[in-house]
Amino acid sequence: MPKYDSTREYIAARQAGDTDTTSRIVSEVTARFNTRTTDGTEITELYKANQSTPLADPK
């Protein structure tokens, strides 16, 4: 179970083939990392979800 809500939402979006939502989440998490609002664990978890969750065909 992912620690971050953003990762759970990202996985659900990938499984649904929702590239608009996945792009939004990546942008938000990246912005938090770049401004040091997060320590890097969130973006690491998101990266691992990206690598382990196939993108479904868009519906």
Side-chain angles (χ1 to χ4, degrees):
M1 181 65 131
K3 176 179 177 181
Y4 295 96
D5 290 338
S6 59
T7 306
R8 286 189 287 278
E9 186 180 350
Y10 180 83
I11 290 170
R14 278 190 68 87
Q15 290 172 337
D18 185 351
T19 56
D20 290 336
T21 300
T22 58
S23 294
R24 177 186 55 79
I25 294 168
V26 168
S27 293
E28 291 172 358
V29 172
T30 301
R32 284 195 290 277
F33 177 73
N34 289 340
T35 60
R36 303 300 185 245
T37 307
T38 183
D39 64 0
T41 56
E42 182 180 19
I43 203 164
T44 300
E45 186 178 82
L46 192 64
Y47 173 77
K48 289 177 181 177
N50 176 273
Q51 298 302 304
S52 64
T53 308
L55 180 62
D57 290 328
K59 296 180 172 131

